DNA sequence: CAACAAACCCCGATAAATGAGGAAATTACT
DNA sequence: AGTAATTTCCTCATTTATCGGGGTTTGTTG
């Protein structure tokens, strides 16, 4: 199985390579520190499985997954991320990846995931399964904010004032204020600082 | 050399262990996912070298380093962090750690660091050296904010209003305003959002 | 000692955001 | 076609923060 590893931390890359080298059937044929680099490598090398981080410099893991799934739909993908926020996990899973393992998980989970994926199955680590099941009880949680609200939040995070946002989106300042109000209510944050922290925690920045 | 590894990501821990297992002279005798857990382990096991991450759940790496250096000054410490912000690096180095390697660095740097430390030397990875040298040209950079300003900034990040901060610190709201003003000026951030981003980037949150 | 930085305090004018209410127009979904 | 959700716009009162000045006291250091 030809594997391409993507992570911005060289030492993690080295470590995983070392772990996987114990398995005869796994062949790490490439490593990349960024999504862009990974895409370059994919042009020249045949790859069966892509194991990628979510947080990457430049293009993020989600975009990489989308691109790869479009360009080479038969390349399997396992996401190896530190993020366990419900909506983020769901967003990635929606892209049809074959596996999701947390960096908190043991390497055994990673190897299991690779096994499963090789056999054409899908593997979610224990912790991820728990998150998914949990979220069944709170089906709304992942759609906390509407697209528009997310858009506004991102602009807030870009240090735009309400006025700036209104101009940018061709809507009234009042509307922006309402969105803002709703965002605060939905995220249960009372202050701008809390909101920005929320945005960080939910990878909106 | 008896090594204790500390990192909140199991898979990185596994990877590094796998990498180090190739070296006969290195014996990973323990792993911890948090500073607290590491301190527990240190009570029962003899350790020569502690390799720790900076970002940890609960107590952070810096506090761990300080504690270990106080309790067991002869335990060598290598910090393995993703952070390359000048002032943060300096803050950690001030604690007298024996090595600093970035997660961006290759595992070769880590092994080199261990070699050096074993011989009683200090090892800073190439990238860290570059940062240190660079900072010589900007000696002020690391002391951007005064202690008081940092204190205020942390409270701002805790979602306290000026009024709250004033009450908490037994100073006038005017004073808080002035500090705030100065913080904005010094950090060259115009908005609260920018300030919070700064705080994140500088690990003040 | 003089100079400087740090921490402290104050003011007035202005800008920006919040809170609490209501309401209409669009989409999306069944 | 009808309902729900979303997006849009509004007012008024109030709070909070910003900008640009002013100043004192204390402690450190060349």
């Amino acid at each position: 199985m030809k594997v391409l590893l993507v992570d911005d931390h060289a030492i993690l890359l080295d470590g995983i390579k070392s772990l996987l080298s114990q398995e005869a059937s796994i062949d790490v044929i490439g490593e990349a520190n960024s999504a862009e680099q990974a895409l370059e490598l994919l042009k020249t090398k045949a790859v069966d499985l892509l194991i990628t981080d979510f947080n990457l410099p430049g293009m993020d893991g989600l975009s990489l997954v989308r691109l790869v799934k479009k360009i080479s739909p038969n390349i399997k993908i396992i996401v190896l991320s530190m993020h366990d926020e419900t909506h983020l996990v769901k967003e990635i899973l929606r892209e049809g990846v074959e596996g999701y393992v947390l960096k908190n998980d043991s390497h055994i989970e990673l190897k299991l995931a690779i096994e499963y994926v090789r056999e054409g199955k899908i593997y979610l680590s224990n912790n991820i399964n728990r998150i998914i099941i949990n979220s069944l009880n709170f089906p709304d949680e992942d759609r906390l904010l509407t697209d528009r609200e997310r858009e506004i939040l991102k602009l807030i995070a870009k240090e735009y004032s309400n006025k700036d946002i209104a101009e940018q989106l061709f809507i009234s300042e009042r509307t922006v204020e309402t969105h803002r109000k709703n965002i605060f209510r939905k995220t249960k944050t009372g202050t701008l600082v809390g909101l920005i922290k929320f945005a960080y925690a939910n990878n909106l920045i």
Side-chain angles (χ1 to χ4, degrees), chain A:
Chain A
M1 226 190 178
K2 298 192 193 73
V3 176
L4 173 60
L5 295 178
V6 189
D7 197 294
D8 53 335
H9 296 314
I11 217 152
L12 188 99
L13 234 40
D14 290 338
I16 292 177
K17 209 165 86 173
S18 170
L19 286 169
L20 298 184
S21 67
Q22 296 158 15
E23 309 285 319
S25 59
I26 299 172
D27 189 14
V28 178
I29 56 124
E31 299 164 54
N33 294 309
S34 68
E36 291 81 359
Q37 212 177 318
L39 290 170
E40 272 307 308
L41 281 174
L42 283 174
K43 280 184 194 164
T44 57
K45 292 190 181 183
V47 170
D48 299 315
L49 172 63
L50 178 75
I51 300 179
T52 181
D53 189 12
F54 178 78
N55 283 106
L56 295 170
M59 189 192 298
D60 69 10
L62 187 56
S63 308
L64 175 63
V65 166
R66 283 185 183 138
L67 271 175
V68 173
K69 279 289 169 196
K70 203 162 78 179
I71 300 168
S72 320
N74 35 356
I75 295 180
K76 310 283 185 187
I77 300 181
I78 293 175
V79 173
L80 178 64
S81 162
M82 60 179 285
H83 288 286
D84 55 2
E85 294 91 36
T86 306
H87 88 272
L88 238 181
V89 172
K90 286 189 176 179
E91 204 169 340
I92 291 172
L93 292 183
R94 261 192 280 271
E95 295 304 318
V97 300
E98 280 73 20
Y100 197 124
V101 179
L102 289 172
K103 288 193 178 176
N104 271 319
D105 294 322
S106 133
H107 68 290
I108 297 169
E109 296 252 25
L110 182 60
K111 285 185 182 169
L112 264 174
I114 297 175
E115 270 320 300
Y116 269 67
V117 169
R118 187 211 309 273
E119 293 166 19
K121 299 182 199 162
I122 287 175
Y123 185 89
L124 304 182
S125 88
N126 231 302
N127 288 318
I128 292 297
N129 274 325
R130 198 164 298 141
I131 288 163
I132 299 293
I133 290 166
N134 244 322
S135 82
L136 296 178
N137 298 320
F138 306 99
D140 293 322
E141 199 185 278
D142 55 320
R143 265 193 138 205
L144 228 192
L145 299 184
T146 65
D147 287 347
R148 193 56 155 182
E149 284 161 353
R150 272 165 189 273
E151 199 176 3
I152 304 266
L153 177 48
K154 280 182 187 172
L155 290 175
I156 293 174
K158 273 190 189 165
E159 301 178 40
Y160 285 49
S161 70
N162 284 355
K163 201 180 183 179
D164 294 339
I165 296 173
E167 279 168 17
Q168 170 107 18
L169 301 181
F170 304 106
I171 58 178
S172 138
E173 221 176 313
R174 308 288 149 269
T175 309
V176 179
E177 279 166 16
T178 304
H179 282 308
R180 221 181 153 110
K181 206 167 25 176
N182 292 334
I183 293 170
F184 273 123
R185 183 176 42 76
K186 288 185 177 180
T187 59
K188 296 194 183 78
T189 54
T191 68
L192 196 47
V193 178
L195 189 60
I196 299 306
K197 285 182 178 177
F198 171 89
Y200 264 101
N202 289 275
N203 235 273
L204 293 169
I205 299 189

